[in-house]
């Protein structure tokens, strides 16, 4: 069958094809693309905000030397590390997204950019879910023990941190859907635009 | 630009296009497709075997009423449930895969089949990773407690069950990559075949 590559890299594109290449978008198309990019930016911003809040809640969860400290628990260290990584990554991706909205081009070459975004979204979504699940299991186990009886605020703050991490995961998952969509668009059209 | 749908659903396909539709694969192509389907079957089989083993290891992890039982721990119940679901799903998908290798067609309509496979692979991979992470965190927390001192074999068996679950997740992830590839092929070519 005719592959789309053949259509796009064909030696003699029809005039119809040439007119509709991504460089000649109409005003309506441009507005839709801008809306799509803004949606990605909103998801990135939400993922950044939640994962940053989660890591801050976790890292401030120590109250002197006689009460429990977050870094004594492996799972809480994992929650902090995963959320910090996702916060950094989302911050970087927000920059990339702002760059794309303002200049219309991608920061890296286009093929690298779409695969970079999608690949990292996927891996970090798995990482964050894994960390938050581990944190949930630990937080639930701690509930009945002396740790929570001695310092209830420690347990409450860990719970909040883990919950914020799950919210971060949700928005990272949404970003991953959109960046996956862009990868498919790139494979089909030879461009990250869906229109 | 010319969408691939236009190429495939065009009113007047060229003779070149007609010759190359999926119904007229050469022997070499058919052999490659069979190899691809066999690879999927192997991954499904491995995911099934590991997740079944994991759930069996977990469900048999009770030694009388005076020692700890797996269903007293939320995270271990989650590990069992997630692995049992993945084992059932992988068993079903093995059937689908065998059906496809033997008859050459899909069980459901093609578009439904590729999206069903990919969607479920993704969701169940997240589910299984979440369960196994929670199980790991609980198993690690139990290590130093009286539960493991009283009944060490209980803790060892839980560890084995969680480890088997991670192996199942690995193979489910590989299946997910291949089924994602088939979705992209379907979107591009209007057929799940990549050749």
């Amino acid at each position: 069958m005719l592959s789309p590559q053949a259509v796009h890299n064909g030696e003699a594109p029809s005039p119809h094809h040439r007119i509709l290449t991504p460089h000649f978008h109409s005003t309506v198309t441009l507005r839709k693309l801008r809306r799509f990019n803004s949606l990605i930016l909103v998801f990135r911003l939400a993922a950044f905000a939640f994962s940053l809040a989660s890591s801050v809640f976790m890292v401030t969860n120590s109250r002197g030397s006689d009460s429990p400290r977050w870094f004594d628990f492996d799972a809480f260290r994992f929650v902090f590390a995963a959320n910090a990584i996702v916060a950094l990554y989302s911050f970087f991706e927000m920059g990339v997204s702002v760059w794309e909205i303002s200049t219309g081009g991608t920061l890296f070459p286009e093929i690298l950019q779409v695969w970079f975004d999608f690949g990292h979204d996927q891996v970090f979504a798995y990482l964050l879910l894994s960390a938050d699940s581990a944190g949930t299991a630990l937080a639930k186990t701690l509930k009945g023990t002396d740790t929570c009886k001695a310092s209830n605020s420690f347990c409450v703050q860990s719970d909040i941190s883990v919950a914020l991490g799950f919210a971060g995961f949700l928005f990272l998952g949404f970003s991953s859907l959109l960046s996956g969509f862009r990868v498919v668009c790139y494979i089909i059209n030879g461009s990250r635009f869906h229109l």
Side-chain angles (χ1 to χ4, degrees), chain A residues 106-180:
Chain A
T106 49
L107 194 63
F108 302 145
E110 195 170 358
I111 184 167
L112 187 63
Q113 184 76 60
V114 293
W115 280 108
F116 178 92
D117 293 353
F118 179 62
H120 283 79
D121 282 356
Q122 284 278 312
V123 170
F124 288 145
Y126 279 116
L127 178 75
L128 195 55
L129 181 69
S130 175
D132 290 332
S133 301
T136 309
L138 178 58
K140 265 195 81 77
T141 314
L142 285 181
K143 273 286 178 307
T145 63
D146 295 339
T147 312
C148 279
K149 278 171 201 148
S151 170
N152 190 45
S153 62
F154 173 80
C155 288
V156 171
Q157 194 167 334
S158 325
D159 288 353
I160 294 172
S161 172
V162 170
L164 287 169
F166 273 114
F169 164 72
L170 200 70
F171 286 105
L172 189 61
F174 289 144
S175 310
S176 169
L177 282 181
L178 293 187
S179 60

Side-chain angles (χ1 to χ4, degrees), chain A residues 48-112:
Chain A
F48 169 73
F50 280 113
S51 54
L52 183 71
S54 171
S55 52
V56 168
F57 262 76
M58 190 52 86
V59 87
T60 56
N61 202 4
S62 308
R63 293 177 179 73
S65 55
D66 54 344
S67 70
R69 291 161 303 180
W70 66 275
F71 47 81
D72 293 333
F73 301 93
D74 281 339
F76 288 163
R77 281 211 299 263
F78 187 20
V79 170
F80 166 71
N83 275 292
I85 289 170
V86 169
L88 275 176
Y89 167 71
S90 295
F91 187 70
F92 169 74
E93 283 288 339
M94 272 164 61
V96 169
S97 203
V98 168
W99 173 279
E100 191 171 334
I101 290 173
S102 55
T103 68
T106 49
L107 194 63
F108 302 145
E110 195 170 358
I111 184 167
L112 187 63

